[in-house]
């Protein structure tokens, strides 16, 4: 999520149209009953903070923001981890999300074939209301869409770019099972999402 998004959306909160409410508009909510992910992944956002664990894990909520992520934990589905770029050397406020579509708990939460690219594009598809053609993306492809939750409506503009991440399977978790027909586990595309609030509830300041 771009640092040029509306500032209220980049605040990690369910209130005032913040980040958690935006994600709810896409069908994603916090961990089931406040549980914490037992295993962590680290990322270095180049902001001076070095490698840090994810801020949290957010899961597809199956249409139920309160309990639906419990179902995702058991049945599998789309989810992502996120980090905030807020270090002293690059305090942009941008949100970095690592998406993947996982198998059910009975399958050890392994990632489905092509599950990193599909996870990204399923999330973007929730914004646009259309299927994203994962295997036919090109650099500078754009999409847009409008989503709503709890009285807030968001306009999201999406730009797919290459050159920020490698097109590779090297160093990718679950890479042997995620590769499909010789295609790399990660296709090198990054979806940059810029979000604005277009409508607020009357009670909002």
């Amino acid at each position: 999520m771009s640092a040029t998004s509306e500032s209220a959306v980049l605040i990690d909160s369910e209130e005032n149209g913040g980040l958690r409410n935006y994600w709810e508009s896409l069908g994603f909510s916090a961990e089931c009953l406040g549980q914490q992910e037992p295993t962590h992944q680290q990322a270095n956002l180049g902001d001076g903070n070095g490698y840090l664990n994810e801020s949290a894990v957010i899961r597809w909520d199956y249409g139920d923001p309160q309990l639906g992520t419990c179902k995702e934990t058991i049945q599998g589905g789309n989810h992502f981890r996120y980090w905030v770029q807020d270090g002293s050397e690059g305090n942009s406020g941008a949100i970095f999300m690592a998406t993947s579509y996982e198998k059910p708990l009975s399958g050890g939460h392994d990632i489905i074939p092509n599950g990193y690219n599909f996870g990204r594009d399923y999330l973007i598809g929730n914004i646009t209301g259309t299927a994203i053609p994962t295997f036919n993306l090109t650099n500078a492809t754009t999409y847009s869409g409008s989503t709503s939750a709890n009285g807030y409506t968001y306009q999201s503009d999406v730009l797919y770019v290459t050159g920020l991440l490698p097109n590779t399977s090297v160093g990718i978790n679950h890479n042997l099972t995620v590769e499909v027909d010789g295609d790399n586990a990660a296709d090198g595309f990054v979806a940059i999402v810029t979000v604005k609030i277009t409508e607020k509830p009357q009670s909002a300041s």
Side-chain angles (χ1 to χ4, degrees):
M1 291 179 60
S2 168
T4 60
S5 297
E6 189 162 335
S7 58
V9 184
L10 296 176
I11 296 173
D12 196 345
S13 171
E14 296 178 357
E15 306 298 325
N16 302 314
L19 191 61
R20 299 298 181 104
N21 193 71
Y22 172 67
W23 284 335
E24 186 176 326
S25 82
L26 306 183
F28 290 83
S29 299
E31 287 274 53
C32 174
L33 301 176
Q35 297 180 49
Q36 299 294 317
E37 176 69 26
T39 58
H40 297 287
Q41 293 183 7
Q42 293 192 328
N44 185 342
L45 306 185
D47 58 0
N49 283 335
Y51 283 90
L52 293 179
N53 290 342
E54 74 280 344
S55 296
V57 178
I58 307 295
R59 299 183 181 278
W60 176 244
D61 65 23
Y62 285 91
D64 181 353
Q66 281 69 48
L67 298 174
T69 57
C70 299
K71 185 176 181 179
E72 194 281 338
T73 299
I74 297 169
Q75 296 189 6
N78 208 5
H79 72 304
F80 59 86
R81 301 167 190 260
Y82 72 96
W83 296 258
V84 181
Q85 190 176 51
D86 59 2
S88 60
E89 297 177 14
N91 187 11
S92 74
I95 310 296
F96 287 69
M97 301 158 60
T99 56
S100 59
Y101 197 102
E102 65 183 358
K103 294 180 180 180
L105 182 62
S106 60
H109 281 165
D110 198 1
I111 306 302
I112 67 168
N114 208 33
Y116 296 117
N117 303 322
F118 283 156
R120 174 198 63 215
D121 294 341
Y122 291 162
L123 186 148
I124 300 303
N126 291 352
I127 293 173
T128 66
T130 60
I132 303 301
T134 301
F135 298 107
N136 295 302
L137 291 170
T138 58
N139 189 42
T141 296
T142 60
Y143 295 95
S144 64
S146 179
T147 56
S148 299
N150 302 309
Y152 288 87
T153 300
Y154 304 91
Q155 173 68 28
S156 300
D157 296 317
V158 183
L159 172 66
Y160 278 85
V161 298
T162 57
L164 298 177
L165 291 177
N167 179 352
T168 187
S169 293
V170 177
I172 304 297
N173 202 19
H174 306 278
N175 61 345
L176 295 180
T177 57
V178 175
E179 287 182 342
V180 177
D181 297 330
D183 289 334
N184 287 324
D187 62 11
F189 282 96
V190 173
I192 301 174
V193 184
T194 303
V195 185
K196 306 295 182 184
I197 297 174
T198 58
E199 186 175 343
K200 300 180 181 180
Q202 290 185 348
S203 59
S205 56

